[in-house]
């Protein structure tokens, strides 16, 4: 494709996407912004109340602290999950480094802006990129020698702006000598690169109408107002960008974002300050004609959307936050969208209540003016306690028009609508601890159940934000730093500065969102950590290999973090397996080389003596038990022999009396039996 072909394709896609946003999405955003600002579309009669029940703004202000607490109290809002055993250490380092980058980039303000836009204008948009900026420092030097001036001017990053050499006589040991000294003013240019994350105004973000997410979008991007000087600093030619101007719909978008129409004459006296609309779009295009479209980033500018630059891209640098996403659609609902009708109903009832109170407190009067007995000017005076002058007027000439008070019924209706809004937002007076009657004389479990039940909607909003924008943002952070951060990067990890090399990290890690949902999760976490610490201390005392000093130190740091104390190094020394191994080696070496204490030696000898005595006693008891057992076995065997001998002799006697006499051989056989060895 030629540049003209590319410009035509991309410009048409941008115009279609911007038209879709302007016609279908922007009206809802404008309406939501008006209602958040305290406006309604219902009219009012002159002389009646114009108060507005700011339900939308109140709901946003009540939900935002809960969402910020959910994400900012977690040390790891998003955690990279290892894909194998070899990735465990790398995944932990990635998680901590990404959190470090997120905090350094202003994480609190970024989430505050994204959550606010998501609750008011359907989506919150964050953009991440690697920002390389050049800063110029002006330094002045005086009375430099030739060597010193050559050293300063020889730096590649230094430009000499002014240089004034002068010859002066200097007293030296060999006498006064002329020396050339230099006065100079130089400009030193420093280039610094860092991760940049910025909140994009929802009005400036565009996407095609068929998109359901960033991954399947035909085109997406954002527009921004820049100055001619900004584009020149980006490398574009001044004559090329000076006449580009702004887009046709830029004033309206700027007015919707800021609430007022910007001055067109601003900066017109300085050509470099002339505003230019710049479109940064991401789109898949088959520029090479290979039949497979590839992702490109395009920069177009001006009302005619002139193509200035394009290059291949490996990611879409946006993270989209939504609190109530719509399936199969890119844009869901905002919190204000859900409450707009309730603000109208609440405003109508509140106005009626105030009008009824005013009419009841200051009833109108019916007077008879035909006879001239009542002074009309006195009647029209609404001052409290004012006198009405009459001329013998009977009481029926002035009669108050009594207005019945209906405040009780109106208050019931208002409370009903407040309950409806609480069900939609998940924020109630009971969950905030403001309803004393609802929580009075209630057990802790019942209070926790009330608070947890009321937080259901907030938990769903938090989960939608976590699974959507937070995961996209941390995936974006990991991809950016892995491409631009070199191996010399230092990071504070577990109280110590360690070197990280993001370029060697694997980018295919899964991610899981860790959001502390629920009000009682913090107490449960602390209780679990305290129980874990108790178990660790018991195992450490027993010498169990399951627990190390590093494990105990991590538990103590987590307990402090759960209590809001994140600087654990102030109370506990940093600890890791390497430091722990060094401490163990030092303790072993100190024990081997330490001088022997006589008292310690005596105590050790006594202990050894007691151990030997106990062992000897134990062995003696075993030997005695074995001897007694053998004696018992021998005695039993002897009785058995006697019984056998007696039985043989008796049998011989009986046989001899009837057949023959026992001879000597029979006696010898008996003695041989008694002499046989015994097996005990």
């Amino acid at each position: 494709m030629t540049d003209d072909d590319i410009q035509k394709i991309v410009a048409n896609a941008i115009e279609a996407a911007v038209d879709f946003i302007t016609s279908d999405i922007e009206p809802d955003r404008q309406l939501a912004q008006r209602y958040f600002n305290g406006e309604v579309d219902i009219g009012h009669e002159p002389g009646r109340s114009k108060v507005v029940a700011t339900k939308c703004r109140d709901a946003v202000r009540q939900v935002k602290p809960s969402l910020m607490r959910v994400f900012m109290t977690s040390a790891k809002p998003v955690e990279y999950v290892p894909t194998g055993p070899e990735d465990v250490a790398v995944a932990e380092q990635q998680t901590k480094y990404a959190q470090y980058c997120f905090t350094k980039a202003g994480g609190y303000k970024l989430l505050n802006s994204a959550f606010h836009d998501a609750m008011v204008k359907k989506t919150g948009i964050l953009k991440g990129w690697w920002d390389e900026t050049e800063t110029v420092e002006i330094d002045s030097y005086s009375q430099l020698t030739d060597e010193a001036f050559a050293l300063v001017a020889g730096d590649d990053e230094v430009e000499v702006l002014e240089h004034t050499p002068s010859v002066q006589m200097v007293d030296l040991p060999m006498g006064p000598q002329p020396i050339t000294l230099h006065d100079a003013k130089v400009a030193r240019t420093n280039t610094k690169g860092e991760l940049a994350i910025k909140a994009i105004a929802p009005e400036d973000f565009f996407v095609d109408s068929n998109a359901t997410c960033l991954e399947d979008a035909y085109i997406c991007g954002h527009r921004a107002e820049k100055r001619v000087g900004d584009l020149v600093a980006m490398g574009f030619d001044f004559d090329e960008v000076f006449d580009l101007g702004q887009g046709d719909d830029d004033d309206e978008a700027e007015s919707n974002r800021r609430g007022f129409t910007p001055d067109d004459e601003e900066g017109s006296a300085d050509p470099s300050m002339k505003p230019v609309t710049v479109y940064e779009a991401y789109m898949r295009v088959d520029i090479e004609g290979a039949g497979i479209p590839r992702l490109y980033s395009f920069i177009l500018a001006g009302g005619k959307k002139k193509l200035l630059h394009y290059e291949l891209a490996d990611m879409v640098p946006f993270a989209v936050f939504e609190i109530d996403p719509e399936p199969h659609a890119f844009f869901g609902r905002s919190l204000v969208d859900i409450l707009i009708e309730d603000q109208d109903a609440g405003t109508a009832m509140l106005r009626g209540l105030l009008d009824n109170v005013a009419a009841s407190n200051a009833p109108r009067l019916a007077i008879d003016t035909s006879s001239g007995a009542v002074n009309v000017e006195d009647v029209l005076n609404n001052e409290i306690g004012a006198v009405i002058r009459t001329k013998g007027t009977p009481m029926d000439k002035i009669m108050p028009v009594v207005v019945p008070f209906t405040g009780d019924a109106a208050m019931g209706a208002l409370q009903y609508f407040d309950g409806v809004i609480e069900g939609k937002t998940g924020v109630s007076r009971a969950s905030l601890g403001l309803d004393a009657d609802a929580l009075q004389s209630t057990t802790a479990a019942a209070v926790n159940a009330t608070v947890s039940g009321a937080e259901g909607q907030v938990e769903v909003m938090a989960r939608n934000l976590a699974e959507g924008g937070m995961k996209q943002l941390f995936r974006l952070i990991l991809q950016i730093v892995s491409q631009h951060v070199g191996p010399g990067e230092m990071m504070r990890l577990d109280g110590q500065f360690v070197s990280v090399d993001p370029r060697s990290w694997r980018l295919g890690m899964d991610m899981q969102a860790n959001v502390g949902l629920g009000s009682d999760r913090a107490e449960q976490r602390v209780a679990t950590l305290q129980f874990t610490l108790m178990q660790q201390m018991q195992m450490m005392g027993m010498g169990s290999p399951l627990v190390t000093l590093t494990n105990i130190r991590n538990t103590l740091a987590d307990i402090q973090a759960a209590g809001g104390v994140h600087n654990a190094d102030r109370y506990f020394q940093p600890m890791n397996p390497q430091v722990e191994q060094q401490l163990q080696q030092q303790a072993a070496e100190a024990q081997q080389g330490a001088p022997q204490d006589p008292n310690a030696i005596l105590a050790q000898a006594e202990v050894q003596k007691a151990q030997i005595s106990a062992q000897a006693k134990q062995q003696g008891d075993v030997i005695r038990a074995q001897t007694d057992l053998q004696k018992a076995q021998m005695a039993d065997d002897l009785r058995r022999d006697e019984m056998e001998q007696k039985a043989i002799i008796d049998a011989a006697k009986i046989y001899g009396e009837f057949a023959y006499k026992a001879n000597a051989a029979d006696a010898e056989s008996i003695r041989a039996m008694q002499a046989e060895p015994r097996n005990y």
Side-chain angles (χ1 to χ4, degrees), residues 217-391:
Y218 175 63
I219 188 173
C220 66
H222 75 102
R223 55 187 172 185
E225 181 184 288
K226 294 184 178 295
R227 305 292 180 178
V228 171
D230 298 332
L231 295 176
V232 174
M234 294 170 61
F236 300 110
D237 185 68
F238 177 85
D239 296 332
E240 183 182 12
V241 300
F242 176 72
D243 294 329
L244 293 180
Q246 295 178 277
D248 298 335
D249 50 0
D250 292 339
D251 289 342
E252 182 179 358
E254 190 76 8
S255 177
N256 295 333
R257 180 172 61 253
R258 297 186 179 183
F260 62 91
T261 302
D263 187 4
D264 294 336
E265 300 299 327
E266 181 182 359
S268 58
D270 186 358
S272 65
M273 296 299 293
K274 181 180 179 180
V276 178
T277 302
V278 179
Y279 299 86
E280 181 178 346
Y282 292 83
M283 184 177 177
R284 301 184 186 277
V285 184
D286 181 19
I287 294 179
E288 295 82 1
I292 301 177
R294 305 170 68 183
L295 181 64
Y296 284 85
S297 65
F298 301 92
I299 297 179
L300 297 86
K304 296 182 179 180
K305 300 177 179 58
K306 181 179 180 180
L307 179 65
L308 300 180
H309 177 74
Y310 68 91
E311 62 182 359
L312 282 170
D314 56 356
M315 59 182 174
V316 177
F318 300 108
V320 181
F321 293 79
E322 294 181 285
I323 65 166
D324 189 20
E326 180 73 20
H328 319 299
F330 191 91
F331 295 97
R333 288 175 294 273
S334 68
L335 185 61
V336 176
D337 291 338
I338 300 173
L339 300 178
I340 283 180
E341 295 181 356
D342 297 306
Q343 180 160 315
D344 286 339
T347 297
M349 287 187 292
L350 182 59
R351 289 179 179 179
L353 175 61
L354 295 179
D355 290 338
N356 180 255
V357 171
S360 300
N361 292 336
R364 301 179 64 181
L365 296 177
I367 62 175
D368 183 7
T369 59
S370 59
S371 61
V374 181
N375 191 318
V376 179
E377 294 181 357
D378 293 345
V379 175
L380 297 178
N381 184 11
N382 292 327
E383 183 180 355
I384 297 177
V387 176
I388 298 178
R389 291 168 293 182
T390 62
K391 298 178 180 179

Side-chain angles (χ1 to χ4, degrees), residues 99-110 195-198 477:
Q99 177 64 21
Y100 164 77
C101 295
F102 172 72
T103 304
K104 184 179 178 181
Y108 176 84
K109 289 186 177 180
L110 293 172
L195 173 69
I197 305 175
K198 180 183 178 182
I477 291 174

Side-chain angles (χ1 to χ4, degrees), residues 32 90 140 172 180 245 276 314 378 485 513 526 566 581 635 666:
V90 176
S140 298
L172 297 177
T180 303
V276 178
D314 56 356
D378 293 345
V485 177
V526 172
H566 298 281
Q581 185 177 5
D666 296 331

